[in-house]
Amino acid sequence: MAYIKSRRWKSGRVSYIVRFKDQHGKRREKSAGPRRKDAEELLRRILEEVAKGTYGVRKEDPTLFEFSETFLKAKKWEVKPSTYNDYREVLANHVLPFFGKRGFPR
């Protein structure tokens, strides 16, 4: 059982919520935003994941090396070039050699 529910706010704004049962039978809901088309797409994607049994299954955590690459890409345009170079050097010279390609310490 899955469906889309709309909600009208006092301001007149409308938002949509997708309600469904996951593969374990637990009731869930996810906000889909202000467009019904987005809610329908989200519902389709969720139903596929529930059918496969993969809804809510966490993907493998990234290694520290993978995360550092993502971090540097994000920071490149947010900070000065000198700060970016400092981040890159600290990661390359101190952090990554210590941890190697292992994941985050738990």
Side-chain angles (χ1 to χ4, degrees), residues 2-83:
Y3 60 95
I4 298 171
K5 180 167 177 55
S6 64
R7 177 176 181 185
R8 184 168 300 279
W9 299 83
K10 289 181 181 179
S11 65
R13 185 174 62 100
V14 176
S15 62
Y16 293 93
I17 299 170
V18 175
R19 292 187 175 170
F20 61 98
K21 286 187 180 179
D22 66 10
Q23 63 264 28
H24 306 293
K26 186 173 181 181
R27 291 182 185 162
R28 305 263 185 186
E29 67 178 40
K30 292 201 64 100
S31 176
R35 294 180 16 179
R36 181 156 185 101
K37 187 174 184 176
D38 293 338
E40 290 168 353
E41 174 63 25
L42 178 62
L43 177 61
R44 185 195 58 75
R45 199 168 359 121
I46 287 172
L47 289 176
E48 284 178 4
E49 289 180 15
V50 169
K52 291 178 187 175
T54 58
Y55 178 80
V57 176
R58 286 185 46 184
K59 294 176 178 56
E60 187 176 317
D61 290 335
T63 63
L64 186 59
F65 181 77
E66 293 166 342
F67 179 78
S68 67
E69 288 177 339
T70 305
F71 171 79
L72 286 173
K73 284 178 187 174
K75 290 297 177 184
K76 186 167 188 165
W77 308 110
E78 294 178 9
V79 297
K80 292 183 197 177
S82 60
T83 303

